[in-house]
Amino acid sequence: MNTPLENPPGGTGDHDGKVVLVAGGGRGMGSAVVEAFALRGARVVVADANRLSSSYNHYRSTDVGGFDAAEELAARLRDKGFDVTAAEADAAREESVRALFATVGERYGRLDTVVNAFGVTHVCPVERMELDEFTRVVEGNLNGVFLMSKHALGLLRADGGGSIVNFSSVSGRSGFAKVAHYCAAKFGVIGFTAALALEEARNGVRVNAVCPGIVRTNMWNYLLEEFTRPGETEDECWERMRMMIPQREFQRPEDIAELVLYLASARRVTGQAVSVDGGMSAP
Ligand SMILES: NC(=O)c1ccc[n+]([C@@H]2O[C@H](COP(=O)([O-])OP(=O)(O)OC[C@H]3O[C@@H](n4cnc5c(N)ncnc54)[C@H](O)[C@@H]3O)[C@@H](O)[C@H]2O)c1
């Protein structure tokens, strides 16, 4: 894969010395965001969880190994001279989130950007969906954004302001069959982002959302298994997904990281949800 470390998107060191917390940064798009900020001189905390409270997720397990991945990523980047540390935290559990911000406050005494890059998906038609499945998927995508944002505000405001970037989705722009709980949560992330941006506009805290389209991470490995039709090969299914994209190209983690970098430093942009989806959600 072409990582941002090998091919950095445009821009220079506007994040020099800044403290950036990336929740869900151990793998997938979050890890590309970690690398992009590190490359621009930020001190980065990669938070991720080894264990989640439900198995209604694309790892099909409560043991997801995210903190192990975060530690490996942080060690690899430290070896290259970047200032990156890993922290174990479940963004959907308030006591875990409180402890995470206490650690960041003690270690750095400031915080400039929080990126909420965690999330879980799960496939099930509404007719067969249990309330627990609905609740857990909403919790894993939306409650965590609320908790991480709420507990970030004190540190973000303390040093004159900062920025929160939340991960929504193309599924926060349009409905997709068999992921109604995920769509409800991702539409919710956009509403939450807009409302918090208005609350915080005069406190110097900006809040925006990114809406990726189809990025081939662990999440899509699971979705592909679920969406492959009888008699269809994996390659044929990928091709069917690719044909849903007007540009006919999947997005890459570094495409999303580039937008996150921009939103983290764009001083007049707040309350927005911006898509990187090859035109999938064009009105
Ligand atoms: N992959 C896509 O095509 C796609 C498209 C649109 C939106 N998204 C969204 O992008 C974000 C990143 O997804 P990805 O594709 O990189 O998935 P991924 O599984 O590769 O990475 C997600 C990371 O978040 C961590 N995580 C999950 N729940 C957590 C929690 N409660 N606390 C802390 N860490 C947690 C996981 O351990 C994992 O390391 C998610 O919000 C996802 O919904 C993905």
Side-chain angles (χ1 to χ4, degrees):
M1 191 178 74
N2 197 12
T3 70
L5 213 52
E6 290 149 4
N7 182 21
T12 49
D14 359 22
H15 302 285
D16 240 3
K18 300 268 170 78
V19 177
V20 178
L21 171 60
V22 184
R27 286 173 289 202
M29 283 180 264
S31 65
V33 171
V34 169
E35 294 192 10
F37 275 108
L39 199 72
R40 274 156 193 78
R43 294 173 282 168
V44 188
V45 180
V46 195
D48 211 306
N50 269 346
R51 203 176 161 77
L52 300 181
S53 54
S54 140
S55 59
Y56 298 130
N57 61 57
H58 51 288
Y59 295 96
R60 296 187 167 96
S61 170
T62 52
D63 295 315
V64 296
F67 176 59
D68 293 342
E71 281 197 306
E72 277 168 35
L73 174 66
R76 181 166 64 78
L77 290 171
R78 275 198 305 274
D79 283 349
K80 293 180 192 255
F82 298 111
D83 187 341
V84 181
T85 53
E88 184 160 21
D90 179 344
R93 283 185 41 235
E94 190 155 27
E95 61 278 28
S96 182
V97 172
R98 271 207 190 92
L100 174 64
F101 284 104
T103 304
V104 172
E106 274 162 30
R107 191 180 297 159
Y108 300 99
R110 65 178 286 167
L111 182 60
D112 298 283
T113 299
V114 174
V115 182
N116 289 317
F118 53 85
V120 287
T121 199
H122 169 257
V123 174
C124 186
V126 170
E127 191 183 14
R128 291 207 297 272
M129 193 185 290
E130 298 297 336
L131 178 60
D132 194 41
E133 289 172 275
F134 182 86
T135 307
R136 296 301 195 147
V137 171
V138 171
E139 183 182 273
N141 290 289
L142 185 55
N143 293 25
V145 167
F146 157 65
L147 290 171
M148 288 290 300
S149 302
K150 174 180 171 173
H151 291 284
L153 290 178
L155 270 174
L156 289 174
R157 285 181 193 151
D159 209 27
S163 161
I164 299 174
V165 182
N166 295 322
F167 270 63
S168 178
S169 169
V170 65
S171 303
R173 302 286 205 182
S174 309
F176 290 90
K178 298 184 185 170
V179 285
H181 41 5
Y182 182 72
C183 289
K186 293 300 189 183
F187 270 74
V189 168
I190 294 178
F192 178 85
T193 297
L196 182 60
L198 296 179
E199 280 184 28
E200 288 300 313
R202 295 196 195 171
N203 296 329
V205 178
R206 296 178 302 100
V207 193
N208 292 289
V210 296
C211 302
I214 301 181
V215 187
R216 294 174 65 161
T217 61
N218 282 324
M219 187 171 277
W220 256 97
N221 291 339
Y222 161 86
L223 288 172
L224 199 80
E225 275 178 35
E226 293 288 328
F227 291 152
T228 301
R229 293 171 175 162
E232 191 178 48
T233 66
E234 202 175 277
D235 285 349
E236 286 165 347
C237 186
W238 276 125
E239 187 56 13
R240 188 161 50 81
M241 296 302 133
R242 195 177 67 83
M243 294 307 283
M244 288 165 54
I245 307 170
Q247 285 186 327
R248 303 286 188 260
E249 284 183 318
F250 297 110
Q251 293 78 56
R252 305 162 308 164
E254 55 266 38
D255 298 328
I256 292 32
E258 186 172 14
L259 174 61
V260 174
L261 285 176
Y262 167 75
L263 291 174
S265 58
R267 292 183 52 79
R268 305 276 176 261
V269 180
T270 196
Q272 302 306 304
V274 184
S275 295
V276 183
D277 64 5
M280 276 180 89
S281 61

